[in-house]
Amino acid sequence: MNKKLFALLSVIMIASMALAACGGQKTEVPAATDEPTTAPTDAPTAEPTAPPTAEPTPIPDVPIATYDGTSLSVAECGNGYTGFIKSVVAQDANTVVFTLCKSDPAFLSKIAFSPFSIYPQEWIESTAGDETRTSEGLEHPVGTGPYMVSEWKRGESVTFTANPDYWGEAPAAETLVFRWSSESAARLLELQAGTIDGFDNPGPDDFATIQADSTLQLSLRPALNVFYIGMTNTFAPFDNVKVRQAIAQGIDRQRIVDTFYPVGSEVASHFTPCSIPNACDGDAWYDFDPAAAKALLAEAGFPDGFATKLYFRDVVRGYLPQVSSVAQDIQSQLKENLNIDAEIVVMESGAFIEESGAGRLDGLYLLGWGADYPHITNFLDYHFGQATQQFGAIPAAIYEPIALGATIADPAEAAPVYTEANNAIRELVPMIPIAHGGSAVAYRADVVNPQASPLTSESFFATDPGGRDVFVWMQNAEPISMFCADETDGESLRACEQVTEALYSYEINGTATHPALAESCTPNEDLTVWTCALRQGVTFHDGSTFDAADVVATFNMGLNIGSPFHVGNTNLWEYYDYLWGLMKKPGG
Amino acid sequence: MMIQYILRRILTSIPVLFGILLVTFALARLIPGDPCRAILGEKATDAVCDRFIREKGLDKPIMTQFGIYIGEIARGDFGNSIRYSLPVTRLLEERLPTTVELSFAALLIAMLVGIPLGVISAVKHNSWVDVVTMIWANTGVSMPVFWLGLMLAYVFSLLLKDTPFWLPPSGRVSPGIPDDPFFEVWKLTLPETGFVTTLCNFISRLNILNALLTGNWELLKDSIQHLILPAVALGTIPMALIARMARSSMLDVLGQDYIRTARAKGLKNGRVIVKHAFRNSLLPLVTVIGLSLGSLLGGAVLTETIFGLSGVGRILYDAITARDYGIVQAFTVVIAVFFVALNLLVDISYAYLDPRIRLD
Amino acid sequence: MDQENKLQTLDAEGLSLKSVSLWQVTWRRLFRRRSAVIGMVILGVMVLIALTAQWIAPYDPLKVLIGVEDVKRREPPCIHLLGCPADKPQHIAGIDGNVRDEFSRLLYGTRLSLMVGFSTVTFAIIIGTVLGALSGYFGGWIDNIIMRTMDVLLAFPSLLLAIAIVTVLGPGLINALLAIGIVSIPSYARVVRASVLSVREMDYVSATRALGGSNMQILFRRILPNALTPLIVQGTLGIATAILDAAALSFLGLGAQPPTPEWGSMLGSERNQVFTAPHLVFLPGFAIMLTVLAFNLLGDGLRDALDPRLAHVS
């Protein structure tokens, strides 16, 4: 018996080693050529050591910042450092100066973004764990905001209580509760039952139900996003501009918006939504014209259409609330209008983003973009900059004016440049913008000052739940953590925004910026030095006083990769990295 | 003899446990797509992802990762969730109570309804009660769990709105209902960490048990209201299975000689059924009940999705989609070990009751 | 059934055994069971629908009716006989989320569901039989390895394991079928192994061996036919489970992909409309239930009809 067992065990061991070896090849670790060729049977150790050459040792980035409590700076811009910020200095207790490496017309829009909220210096230091924030740091943020976290019952709810010492207008409800459910039908039912006061993202088909119900109200959220059909121009037949133009004219975009999008959505006239300055300079998109489209396609050499694929991921976003239905409709339109046979391929979300971003999808794909901050650079530069690969090779006619536009602060001055850029996009069709998807927030009818922020950052202190003490809010998902300096997920950010504040904030229900923890931030002439005068007499939830050192400490935590306090949840500091650039140089 | 048999059975489950670890690990790693973008979202750049992969130790050779994994499991450490940066044991402590409560409620409903139905239809064999019950039982096993859940929500949360039969469509408990854990109500001081604390936390999250312990009737009522629909949805298939099994084993027993003898002795019919027939038909029933407890976990994925409960099934499904290896590995292993233990118990109890098996 | 009747039945069976084959007996027993007959009738209708879907479906299941007819998205059923105005086009099961005829999609869905059931079970039976036969016939370490592997597979809740496998292989109907097939192999392997073990040492097998029959001959000619009965029962019930599991996977978006008219995915994609357009959730679910029910009834009936021990019970 024992003998048998031992034999079995060793067989499973060997099988496991074989399997593990296959896995190793999958991750493309170079094959170990210099591994001694001993029989595999004599090495069933629990922790096999990898041969030294098997893994290219990654060269870590080098920290370059110096921080002394009142100033955070790098020695020089450029020379390997690609970030925006040269220094953050506390000039006195109530003044902070940001010196930038290049002029930044979007500075205020960016600084108001909630990941850059200010934390007390002592808290930053005391909640820094070895590798990540301590669970205290991840779950009980300390800020200056109108609410404080009182309890986070994982999997169920987060409860906030009003901050009695709030510097601004006192919150209308004493207690705020966040709940979540991924099913819009369930969220609606909860509201109808009166167990919640408001919920995010009603299903597009429920808009009418809510509007017809006198006990409920609907706030439409302006569309600050875009849904487009992407193509990679390095694959045939999409390398032919006529094919791209044909598809652009052969899709009835109005029908898609009318059938599948909620009220408040619109057919995209340009890539960037028009509420953003300069977005809609230049000609509007093509009209739907199947005959012209068919002719163009014939001219391009495909009178009978062709076969291709239609890739998407089954993930609901504001810009694409009914993915699968829209995909099926586009598929049937392609067939009907252009005789193009598009086979639907649903991909896993991560793989889809990776493949499309690298320009490796050989067919059409459905993707979109939601604004991080309300500025045209957030739309155009990301998608049509020279380095972008997701549409194949971006023509110079498109990326040159975009690069120029990013250095001009005054929208009027930038208008001719963006006209050129938008017209080039229309002419060369790197993708087909379809819609700006509206969404909404539903509330009970007695809720006063209902909110639906275009940036999905509702601040509930300003919303009164009909005189009740508790305001219950239901969103799509649970926050991942509440340490939002190192978080990107919108559901997490919204929870943090009740608790922490940045130097500026976005106006309620809008995108304009207002002073928050700063009373003002004023630039020098070429927009490279921003001097912020801080609000005085503000205290954090832990009782400490807010001053300039807290601001510098916060940016040190976010930007300085050499700091012992540069630990968060994922430790990627994505928004710090993406909007400002971490203070580092490539090593080696 | 018996002890020898038990030892042998435990010994043979060791390779199975090892196989479970292996399969779990392999499946988790074979899932295509990288965890980086699944967790950080589409806007993560390549540089960010490279850093992420390094941070989480996912760039190490697979063999090394497996070694580390086995080593950690052996030490009782399930590692961290990639996504939440929290120890998986803590997530288990938070999510398990939801599923445990749901599964037990479902099983309870299944037994309370299934057994009497089965027994009655066996006793009233071939009557209309029997026919109706069996049609109903067959329909029960044929219903997709997700469909039944949606239909129940439609009827009880929408159609019966504004009636006393209304039931909430999602969640575990209404906000604002106090649910202080029993150890706080009893003014017990718990150590900061350790097994006792974990256990107490676990128990306090079983809302119904906690409500009973603290005499919190408001919480009890609210929790039960929230639990009814998901428990019925999840419990229907086991209920039908139990009813069928109860009926057929009852029929078997009723046909046996000693029952006829008992009846011939002049014992009252009811007494014969309860005292002799039912008790002897219990054995196969126990097996069905034990095994359906395990399969409830699979159904829990769907039930929890529909009723917005964040239990084990839901988090496991999310973790598979997000490629959160830590959670996938730990939760699957826990569930699988639970399965193996259950099977072991069933086998041992069989051997105990039927000595012939031990010789096999 | 009272005593007298039972005796008659036994008698009849005893007599007929002399003149007719086992199969004929089984058929007769099966037809005597009302529930099995109901199951067979439902199944017969389903198979008929599946075979004739393209002729009886009023619309192309993929045809989008925007601009073709005056219908709205997710419109409830319009049946002329039940008072729907005659000038409106008739849609017995309403309109779906993509403005297609739900009834035609339901009809075509029958084809897919039956295909799913039969193909996964066939796959699982073939693999399971080979593994079970090897395991039972040769015993020893082969038996140990195969059965321990089966134990490992059985240690996971089947739906969760199927979800994990589909995630590994990538979503899609074929992969979902494969996953469900893999997950259900162990039960067939166990059934076959058990019946192989029960006859391996019997005289007629030993006799064949003594006469110089090869292992293959013994296995296929003498041993496996014994496993046929439990396999048929297990397989019929297995089809029911397979259809349910495939629907669950599709419901979660891992199985059949749009625009394929598969019941589970039709239901899954409309699940948030359960309160606004209940017909789009109710009908596909009901269709699944009916099909699964038919297989369950038939499977139960077959088990009783094939099991002589149970024949007298009801």
Side-chain angles (χ1 to χ4, degrees), chain C residues 224-244:
Chain C
L224 279 184
N226 274 290
L228 211 56
T229 310
L231 266 183
I232 287 173
V233 173
Q234 182 83 9
T236 317
L237 294 172
I239 291 178
T241 323
I243 294 176
L244 271 185

Side-chain angles (χ1 to χ4, degrees), chain A residues 307-328:
Chain A
T308 183
K309 288 184 175 138
L310 184 63
Y311 299 92
F312 67 91
R313 55 175 179 160
D314 202 356
V315 172
V316 170
R317 287 286 183 269
Y319 53 75
L320 192 47
Q322 309 201 31
V323 201
S324 161
S325 294
V326 168
Q328 293 175 56

Side-chain angles (χ1 to χ4, degrees), chain A residues 375-399:
Chain A
H375 200 270
I376 189 164
T377 53
N378 187 233
F379 280 83
L380 294 189
D381 295 40
Y382 185 91
H383 290 90
F384 309 112
Q386 193 176 356
T388 307
Q389 295 172 312
Q390 78 166 103
F391 305 114
I394 299 287
I398 297 178
Y399 71 71

Side-chain angles (χ1 to χ4, degrees), chain A residues 188-201:
Chain A
L188 173 59
L189 214 55
E190 294 270 356
L191 188 70
Q192 287 173 329
T195 50
I196 58 173
D197 296 286
F199 75 93
D200 198 16
N201 277 331

Side-chain angles (χ1 to χ4, degrees), chain A residues 454-535:
Chain A
L455 296 164
T456 68
S457 62
E458 288 77 18
S459 302
F460 293 112
F461 76 96
T463 296
D464 181 358
R468 288 178 292 275
D469 291 339
V470 185
F471 184 95
V472 186
W473 164 255
M474 194 175 231
Q475 54 184 24
N476 294 27
E478 180 168 12
I480 293 170
S481 90
M482 291 252 277
F483 181 69
C484 288
D486 186 20
E487 216 49 82
T488 50
D489 156 62
E491 313 287 339
S492 302
L493 295 186
R494 189 189 284 113
C496 294
E497 280 151 11
Q498 317 304 322
V499 178
T500 60
E501 292 173 301
L503 293 179
Y504 265 62
S505 68
Y506 303 112
E507 67 174 341
I508 284 176
N509 282 335
T511 59
T513 51
H514 282 310
L517 284 182
E519 277 175 335
S520 69
C521 285
T522 45
N524 67 349
E525 202 159 299
D526 67 351
L527 310 171
T528 54
V529 180
W530 292 76
T531 308
C532 297
L534 305 186
R535 196 173 294 280

Side-chain angles (χ1 to χ4, degrees), chain C:
Chain C
M1 203 179 282
D2 59 27
Q3 203 62 26
E4 209 173 326
N5 256 334
K6 201 185 282 174
L7 281 175
Q8 276 177 354
T9 318
L10 280 176
D11 216 1
E13 274 162 16
L15 286 173
S16 55
L17 267 177
K18 286 170 196 150
S19 51
V20 295
S21 75
L22 175 69
W23 286 112
Q24 276 167 305
V25 177
T26 307
W27 268 116
R28 258 187 234 163
R29 285 198 195 147
L30 200 56
F31 272 110
R32 234 178 276 142
R33 306 186 65 83
R34 251 169 306 170
S35 58
V37 173
I38 295 174
M40 279 191 284
V41 169
I42 301 177
L43 263 188
V45 173
M46 291 282 174
V47 170
L48 207 66
I49 289 176
L51 290 176
T52 59
Q54 66 258 55
W55 297 296
I56 55 175
Y59 292 85
D60 176 348
L62 302 183
K63 174 78 184 161
V64 177
L65 300 174
I66 303 177
V68 178
E69 276 182 5
D70 179 27
V71 286
K72 281 199 292 292
R73 190 163 180 237
R74 301 208 173 100
E75 214 168 300
C78 165
I79 304 169
H80 288 159
L81 278 175
L82 296 181
C84 181
D87 55 337
K88 286 201 71 174
Q90 167 157 293
H91 293 281
I92 304 179
I95 301 291
D96 83 345
N98 267 67
V99 199
R100 293 174 298 220
D101 181 50
E102 179 82 353
F103 182 59
S104 306
R105 293 177 65 74
L106 285 173
L107 292 182
Y108 273 85
T110 317
R111 202 175 264 191
L112 220 58
S113 274
L114 293 181
M115 196 269 286
V116 164
F118 283 115
S119 55
T120 46
V121 169
T122 312
F123 170 81
I125 284 186
I126 291 175
I127 310 271
T129 305
V130 170
L131 290 178
L134 289 176
S135 192
Y137 187 72
F138 292 105
W141 62 272
I142 295 184
D143 181 30
N144 242 328
I145 287 196
I146 293 178
M147 290 328 283
R148 285 314 139 250
T149 313
M150 294 298 116
D151 283 350
V152 170
L153 284 183
L154 279 175
F156 298 95
S158 64
L159 186 61
L160 275 180
L161 187 58
I163 289 174
I165 295 177
V166 179
T167 325
V168 168
L169 300 173
L173 187 59
I174 301 294
N175 290 344
L177 299 189
L178 209 58
I180 297 166
I182 293 173
V183 169
S184 46
I185 289 173
S187 50
Y188 301 104
R190 283 190 160 183
V191 164
V192 173
R193 177 176 176 268
S195 44
V196 170
L197 279 181
S198 68
V199 295
R200 192 175 60 173
E201 302 305 334
M202 287 200 172
D203 290 346
Y204 72 96
V205 176
S206 313
T208 316
R209 202 173 288 139
L211 290 171
S214 72
N215 276 337
M216 282 297 127
Q217 249 177 341
I218 297 172
L219 207 51
F220 281 98
R221 291 268 178 77
R222 301 285 173 236
I223 294 185
L224 279 184
N226 274 290
L228 211 56
T229 310
L231 266 183
I232 287 173
V233 173
Q234 182 83 9
T236 317
L237 294 172
I239 291 178
T241 323
I243 294 176
L244 271 185
D245 282 353
L249 286 180
S250 296
F251 175 80
L252 292 170
L254 296 170
Q257 297 299 328
T260 320
E262 200 274 340
W263 293 335
S265 83
M266 284 161 69
L267 202 165
S269 63
E270 301 290 349
R271 69 172 186 267
N272 265 313
Q273 269 63 52
V274 60
F275 304 121
T276 44
H279 63 282
L280 295 181
V281 174
F282 176 77
L283 291 171
F286 188 74
I288 299 172
M289 194 196 75
L290 210 59
T291 316
V292 175
L293 178 64
F295 280 106
N296 272 330
L297 290 175
L298 182 62
D300 263 3
L302 272 175
R303 178 170 50 199
D304 294 354
L306 287 168
D307 183 348
R309 195 175 57 85
L310 276 175
H312 69 278
V313 170
S314 54

